[in-house]
């Protein structure tokens, strides 16, 4: 294989087969690149060091990612048609092309799809384009055969004519340019090309023989029945030691908040904000995962996709409940010209296929009397015979803008009436921000937990905060007006909660990457979700512990006895492994600082620290030397935290590639992300600056629990 890399963009040369009056590009079963040589070569542009080939129609198909991979070539001979096989995992974030042809004058036509799956014919010159509807909706996760008939000026899908070329400008000649998997029109969001498709490309043909519809249908009929394999190849991230292996995360590309964590028919289901066509916030679908144990997850096809006027700009966050008929129901933020509320119901008992309610939106916009137009992120619960819904909101006040929650109620979960504000903040007193997202209102014992996520504002970052209180007269009455932080160190956000069949309250939250855009582009994925955490309400606060189900991942176990540690004698407890569980008990003694050095390289070029500062009463995450990788933030995060150092202190860490989740004394939690460049940055030490500090530890290596893909 010949290939050339230019910065991030690679150009690969693929050979073709020649069959009679056709030229056919395919990908050989044994060798992904054809061994048959030809004068005509197909160029592959990609950021990947090794092109991805998976099972296709005949042998192998090229796997694209939605923003970086496509094919092109120049043809100097006459041909009358161009055809190919395609399968989409997702609709694009902008109009993208399956394939097209361009002449020497810059005139071009292309078969395209928009972000709702409508088949379009693109006609233009240079970078000026018009798109014509072909009145056809494309289905994802199915093979699709497309053909451009230059001689007959017609477009065919699956053997049937679906439209004609309205342009007379394209001149069929012996000098044509072909592009596969990307539109000729250039458009980028940040560094991502949004005119490329995400899916499979197989068997591209150019032909000089006239198109006979009956012959074409007969030729492709059996292949249309085949099911494409659109799972992301394991090779894509095989060398990425920073990618977690037992945490929940999508197969690739962008994800954001989780929502809708429910238990139904013996399985847990959780939904997420998903853009499978790029690594940025756009084309948001409701992704879907299922699990029998909260540890081993399967990624299903997206449950909801934008396709209507009322949700055309995204299916934003919401929740899921089991309604009065025992049927799961999705409640989501419909991102149209106005933000409203939509609902959807399952079409099958496995909850794989969903159907939007025909009378959506059930709430069209913000209530009368309020000025802010953005309202989002529903949480629904039942009190007696009444269903209640809160929606994240903010009050626009020139002097004191503040977060608030809109409260609605319903008898049937379809017709909702606005009541008033459930609760509103006072940021000058409680630092709760100007807008609240992703609320949770959960009864635990005889108390209610009201949890919100304040949005970033004037340099103050987003944070997850909560109050404990009561629900009286359809109002929330907090026990203390000052909220508490869910995490000691501010990194984890937007928990989704569920009550398990055993009666436990379990949460799963997003843990953002927060790395530079260039690093994310190279990485190929963004963000992940926490391990399942068990919540208990004790002494007026949420105490968090790792769910015991995680113990099934434990493998090799090491016990390290108590010993004295100091500034000159750190306790090295592990030198290798990217998937670990650690329980370390510190006996602080006279220490002023004690904790961990982790993700350390043998030459000390990379290392991070997590420690407790006794004098300042702070938990500190020091990542100023965490990575020599480009575009990785090197910073210190810390916050006030009071520990009784006269007693033993237990730290319980879960390390999984780039993510570290920590628990202190089985009640408080913190989270961070570490992205070293060097794979051997794995040394883990216990340290103290005192003379009388002692420490002991247990370590387990943990098995993978990679997310399986059901598509």
């Amino acid at each position: 294989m010949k290939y050339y890399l230019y910065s991030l963009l690679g150009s690969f040369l693929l050979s073709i087969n020649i069959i009679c009056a056709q030229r056919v590009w395919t990908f050989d079963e044994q060798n992904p690149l054809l061994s048959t040589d030809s004068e005509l070569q197909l160029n592959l542009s990609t950021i990947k060091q090794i092109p991805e080939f998976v099972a296709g129609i005949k042998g192998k198909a090229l796997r694209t990612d939605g923003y970086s991979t496509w094919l092109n070539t120049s043809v100097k001979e006459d041909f009358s048609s161009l055809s190919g096989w395609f399968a989409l995992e997702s609709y694009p974030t902008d109009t993208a092309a399956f394939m097209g042809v361009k002449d020497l004058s810059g005139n071009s036509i292309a078969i395209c799809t928009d972000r709702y799956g409508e088949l379009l014919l693109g006609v233009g010159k240079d970078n000026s384009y018009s798109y014509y509807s072909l009145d056809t909706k494309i289905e994802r996760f199915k093979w699709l055969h497309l053909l451009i008939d230059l001689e007959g000026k017609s477009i065919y899908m699956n053997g049937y004519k679906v439209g004609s070329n309205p342009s007379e400008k394209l001149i069929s000649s012996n000098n044509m340019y072909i592009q596969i998997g990307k539109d000729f029109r250039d458009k980028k969001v940040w560094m991502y090309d949004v005119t490329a498709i995400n899916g499979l490309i197989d068997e591209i043909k150019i032909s000089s023989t006239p198109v006979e519809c009956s012959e074409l249908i007969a030729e492709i009929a059996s292949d249309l029945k085949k099911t494409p394999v659109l799972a992301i190849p394991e090779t894509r991230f095989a060398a990425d030691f920073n990618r977690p292996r037992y945490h929940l995360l999508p197969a690739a590309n962008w994800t954001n908040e989780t929502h809708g964590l429910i238990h139904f028919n013996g399985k847990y289901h959780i939904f997420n904000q998903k853009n499978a066509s790029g690594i940025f916030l756009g084309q948001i679908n409701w992704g879907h995962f299922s699990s029998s144990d909260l540890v081993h997850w399967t990624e299903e096809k997206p449950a909801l996709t934008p396709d209507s006027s009322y949700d055309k700009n995204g299916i934003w966050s919401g929740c899921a409940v089991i309604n009065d008929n025992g049927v799961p129901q999705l409640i989501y933020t419909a991102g149209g010209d106005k933000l409203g509320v939509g609902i959807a119901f399952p079409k099958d008992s496995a909850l794989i296929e969903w159907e939007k309610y025909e009378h959506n939106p059930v709430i069209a916009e913000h209530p009368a009397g309020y000025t802010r137009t953005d309202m989002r992120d529903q949480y629904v619960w039942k009190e007696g015979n009444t269903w209640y819904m809160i929606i994240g909101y903010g009050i626009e006040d020139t002097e004191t803008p503040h977060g608030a929650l809109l409260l609605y109620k319903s008898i049937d979960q379809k017709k909702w009436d606005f009541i008033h504000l459930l609760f509103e903040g006072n940021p000058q007193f409680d630092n709760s921000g100007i807008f609240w997202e992703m609320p949770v209102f959960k009864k635990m014992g005889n108390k209610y937990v009201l949890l919100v996520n304040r949005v970033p504002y004037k340099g103050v970052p987003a944070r997850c905060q909560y109050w404990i209180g009561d629900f009286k007269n359809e109002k929330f009455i907090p026990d203390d007006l000052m909220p508490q932080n869910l995490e000691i160190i501010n990194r984890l956000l937007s928990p989704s909660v569920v009550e398990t069949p055993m009666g436990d309250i379990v949460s799963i939250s997003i843990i953002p990457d927060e790395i530079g855009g260039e690093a994310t582009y190279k990485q190929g994925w963004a963000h992940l979700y926490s391990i399942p955490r068990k919540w208990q309400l004790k002494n007026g606060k949420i105490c968090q512990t790792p769910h015991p189900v995680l113990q099934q991942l434990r493998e090799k176990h090491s016990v390290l006895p108590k010993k004295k540690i100091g500034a000159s004698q750190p306790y090295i407890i592990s030198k290798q492994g990217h998937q670990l569980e650690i329980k370390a008990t510190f006996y602080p003694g006279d220490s002023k600082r004690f904790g961990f050095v982790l993700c350390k390289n043998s030459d000390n070029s990379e290392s991070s620290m997590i420690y407790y500062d006794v004098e300042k009463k702070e938990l500190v995450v020091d990542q100023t030397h965490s990575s020599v990788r480009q575009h990785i933030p090197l910073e210190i995060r810390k916050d006030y935290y009071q520990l009784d150092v006269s007693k033993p202190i237990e730290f319980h860490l879960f390390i999984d590639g780039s993510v570290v989740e920590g628990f202190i004394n089985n009640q408080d939690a913190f989270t961070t992300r570490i992205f070293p460049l060097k794979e051997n940055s794995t040394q883990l030490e216990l340290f103290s600056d005192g003379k009388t500090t002692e420490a002991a530890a247990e370590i387990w290596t943990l098995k993978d629990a990679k997310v399986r893909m059901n598509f």
Side-chain angles (χ1 to χ4, degrees):
M1 178 180 69
K2 298 179 181 179
Y3 62 90
Y4 306 91
L5 289 177
Y6 302 99
S7 182
L8 289 176
L9 187 64
S11 181
F12 298 80
L13 304 180
L14 310 185
S15 302
I16 63 168
N17 281 337
I18 303 175
I19 303 177
C20 300
Q22 301 179 16
R23 291 189 182 272
V24 185
W25 286 268
T26 60
F27 309 104
D28 185 76
E29 182 69 39
Q30 277 71 41
N31 185 346
L33 305 184
L34 284 173
S35 57
T36 304
D37 290 327
S38 170
E39 294 179 358
L40 186 57
Q41 294 176 318
L42 192 61
N43 304 300
L44 170 61
S45 296
T46 183
I47 64 170
K48 295 171 176 57
Q49 293 185 354
I50 301 175
E52 294 174 353
F53 296 92
V54 299
I57 287 290
K58 296 291 194 293
K60 295 290 183 179
L62 175 67
R63 185 60 162 94
T64 67
D65 57 17
Y67 59 91
S68 79
T69 301
W70 56 85
L71 303 157
N72 56 61
T73 192
S74 295
V75 182
K76 295 183 179 180
E77 59 196 61
D78 287 329
F79 66 96
S80 60
S81 68
L82 170 68
S83 66
W85 285 95
F86 304 89
L88 291 182
E89 179 197 349
S90 60
Y91 298 137
T93 49
D94 202 287
T95 298
F98 292 101
M99 60 183 183
V101 294
K102 180 189 289 187
D103 65 20
L104 290 178
S105 299
N107 300 303
S108 65
I109 61 171
I111 305 179
C112 307
T113 177
D114 67 8
R115 57 196 179 106
Y116 310 112
E118 183 178 4
L119 194 67
L120 305 173
L121 178 65
V123 179
K125 182 172 183 179
D126 300 325
N127 206 38
S128 177
Y129 279 81
S130 297
Y131 293 96
Y132 302 87
S133 173
L134 296 173
D135 296 322
T136 302
K137 181 74 179 277
I138 299 165
E139 291 188 66
R140 296 164 298 169
F141 304 101
K142 288 189 176 182
W143 280 113
L144 175 73
H145 185 270
L146 297 171
L147 184 146
I148 300 174
D149 181 3
L150 297 174
E151 186 175 280
K153 298 187 181 299
S154 299
I155 306 299
Y156 291 81
M157 187 182 84
N158 297 340
Y160 295 91
K161 183 177 177 179
V162 292
S164 300
N165 174 18
S167 173
E168 299 293 332
K169 295 180 180 179
L170 187 70
I171 302 172
S172 180
S173 69
N174 59 1
N175 281 287
M176 301 289 280
Y177 183 78
I178 294 174
Q179 188 151 280
I180 311 295
K182 181 189 176 303
D183 203 350
F184 293 116
R185 175 181 61 102
D186 289 323
K187 184 176 181 180
K188 290 190 175 182
V189 172
W190 205 359
M191 62 194 73
Y192 296 91
D193 196 309
V194 294
T195 68
I197 63 169
N198 173 36
L200 303 178
I201 300 172
D202 198 5
E203 200 173 72
I204 303 301
K205 294 182 182 180
I206 57 174
S207 175
S208 58
T209 58
V211 175
E212 293 290 342
C213 190
S214 59
E215 293 180 7
L216 179 60
I217 292 172
E219 180 185 345
I220 67 175
S222 60
D223 288 334
L224 282 171
K225 298 176 183 178
K226 296 179 180 178
T227 301
V229 178
L230 282 153
I232 303 299
E234 288 194 11
T235 54
R236 183 175 297 187
F237 302 117
D240 186 355
F241 59 87
N242 284 319
R243 183 173 167 87
R245 300 168 74 100
Y246 63 83
H247 277 72
L248 173 62
L249 75 170
N253 292 5
W254 172 269
T255 189
N256 208 19
E257 296 103 343
T258 60
H259 40 257
L261 178 56
I262 58 170
H263 186 267
F264 179 73
N265 279 353
K267 279 193 173 184
Y268 294 94
H269 297 264
I270 195 168
F271 304 88
N272 67 301
Q273 298 284 273
K274 177 183 176 68
N275 179 7
S277 296
I279 317 177
F280 57 90
L281 188 62
Q283 186 57 18
I284 294 300
N285 292 234
W286 265 38
H288 178 199
F289 303 91
S290 65
S291 172
S292 59
D293 62 3
L294 292 168
V295 175
H296 298 89
W297 292 90
T298 296
E299 184 171 10
E300 311 287 358
K301 297 174 184 178
L304 299 173
T305 298
D307 63 0
S308 301
S309 59
Y310 62 85
D311 62 19
K312 63 183 179 181
N313 294 324
I315 307 290
W316 303 102
S317 297
C319 67
V321 295
I322 310 298
N323 66 23
D324 290 330
N325 297 319
V327 176
Q329 178 174 329
L330 304 184
I331 303 100
Y332 67 92
T333 303
D337 293 328
K338 299 177 180 179
L339 288 182
V341 179
I343 59 178
F345 301 94
K347 297 169 69 174
D348 59 88
S349 60
L351 310 188
I352 305 302
E353 301 288 339
W354 292 79
E355 186 172 29
K356 297 174 186 176
Y357 182 47
E358 61 181 343
H359 299 299
N360 278 347
V362 294
I363 299 174
E365 59 180 317
H366 65 284
Y370 294 88
T371 58
R372 188 155 187 158
T373 58
D374 51 333
M375 50 181 278
R376 56 184 180 269
D377 311 337
Q378 299 76 30
Y379 184 88
V380 175
W381 79 100
K382 191 174 186 181
E383 296 277 346
N385 294 320
T386 303
W387 288 94
Y388 288 96
M389 174 196 298
I390 51 175
I391 305 177
Y393 199 63
I395 302 300
E396 293 182 315
D397 186 312
T398 55
E399 293 184 2
T400 57
H402 56 275
L405 296 171
L406 304 172
L407 179 64
Y408 292 77
K409 68 179 179 181
S410 173
I411 299 301
D412 61 2
Q413 289 188 274
K414 294 177 181 177
K415 183 181 182 301
W416 292 91
D417 296 312
F418 175 68
I419 309 173
H420 50 228
L421 299 180
L422 174 76
F423 187 63
E424 52 191 314
N426 180 5
Q428 292 181 327
F429 168 75
D430 58 23
N431 200 29
S432 60
I434 66 165
F435 190 96
W436 291 346
E437 294 183 320
M438 302 299 295
V440 171
F441 194 58
K442 183 67 178 175
K443 192 172 186 179
M444 298 179 66
N446 61 356
K447 285 289 184 179
Y448 285 82
V449 173
L450 174 61
L451 180 147
V452 300
N453 292 264
R454 72 178 187 215
V455 300
Y457 181 66
K458 291 186 176 180
V460 178
R463 188 149 200 174
C464 188
Q465 301 173 301
Y466 69 93
W467 294 263
I468 307 296
D470 298 297
F471 185 54
K472 295 180 179 179
N473 300 319
E474 298 181 328
K475 285 275 191 176
F476 174 67
I477 311 300
D479 294 342
D480 188 332
L481 288 174
M482 184 63 70
Q484 301 179 63
N485 296 323
L486 185 66
E487 292 263 295
I488 307 169
I489 300 294
N490 184 33
R491 192 63 177 259
L492 171 145
L493 297 167
S494 305
S496 296
V497 297
V498 68
E499 186 168 344
T500 72
M502 292 73 72
D504 295 332
I505 304 298
V506 173
S507 74
I508 295 177
S509 310
I510 187 173
I511 306 173
D513 291 357
E514 297 184 10
I515 60 177
E518 293 85 355
T520 299
Y521 187 78
K522 293 179 183 179
Q523 182 172 270
W525 56 277
H527 314 322
L528 76 150
Y529 304 114
S530 69
I531 58 175
R533 298 181 177 188
K534 185 176 177 179
W535 283 9
Q536 292 178 292
L537 200 57
K538 295 181 180 179
N539 301 319
K541 78 171 189 177
I542 296 174
C543 294
Q544 301 182 76
T545 54
H547 196 287
V549 72
L550 290 158
Q551 294 177 14
Q552 65 181 281
L553 299 180
R554 289 173 173 174
E555 287 191 308
K556 183 181 177 182
H557 180 215
S558 301
V559 178
L560 293 90
K562 186 198 297 187
K563 64 179 290 187
K564 186 174 290 187
I565 60 175
S568 61
Q569 52 183 118
Y571 198 168
I572 300 174
I573 61 173
S574 179
K575 290 189 175 182
Q576 56 186 355
H578 294 280
Q579 279 70 42
L580 298 173
E581 178 186 354
I582 305 101
K583 281 188 178 181
T585 304
F586 292 89
Y587 305 83
D590 63 349
S591 177
K592 295 180 180 178
R593 296 194 316 164
F594 63 89
F596 301 85
V597 177
L598 67 166
C599 300
K600 180 179 177 179
N601 187 268
S602 57
D603 62 11
N604 210 28
S605 59
E606 295 180 320
S607 66
S608 296
M609 298 177 69
I610 298 173
Y611 64 88
Y612 184 65
D613 188 314
V614 177
E615 292 184 334
K616 295 182 179 179
K617 293 183 173 58
E618 290 179 336
L619 184 66
V620 181
V621 176
D622 184 345
Q623 294 179 242
T624 52
H625 300 92
S626 66
S627 183
V628 294
R629 187 190 299 268
Q630 288 185 322
H631 311 298
I632 302 298
L634 304 176
E635 60 186 9
I636 295 177
R637 291 194 181 192
K638 57 186 178 181
D639 212 326
Y640 177 82
Y641 181 58
Q642 188 164 357
L643 277 174
D644 183 356
V645 294
S646 67
K647 299 177 180 179
I649 309 296
E650 182 185 274
F651 281 79
H652 192 175
L653 302 187
F654 287 80
I655 299 174
D656 188 11
S658 60
V659 64
V660 180
E661 292 191 63
F663 304 86
I664 301 177
N665 291 338
N666 289 315
Q667 58 179 1
D668 300 311
F670 63 92
T671 311
T672 192
R673 303 292 302 279
I674 304 173
F675 292 89
L677 174 66
K678 301 178 181 180
E679 189 170 1
N680 64 346
S681 292
T682 54
Q683 184 161 304
L684 177 61
E685 304 172 358
L686 311 182
F687 83 92
S688 169
D689 62 2
K691 296 180 180 179
T692 62
T693 306
E694 294 181 304
E698 287 185 90
I699 298 181
W700 292 266
T701 58
L702 298 183
K703 293 181 288 188
D704 293 350
K706 289 184 179 180
V707 179
R708 183 171 122 1
M709 289 161 274
N710 189 24
F711 49 78

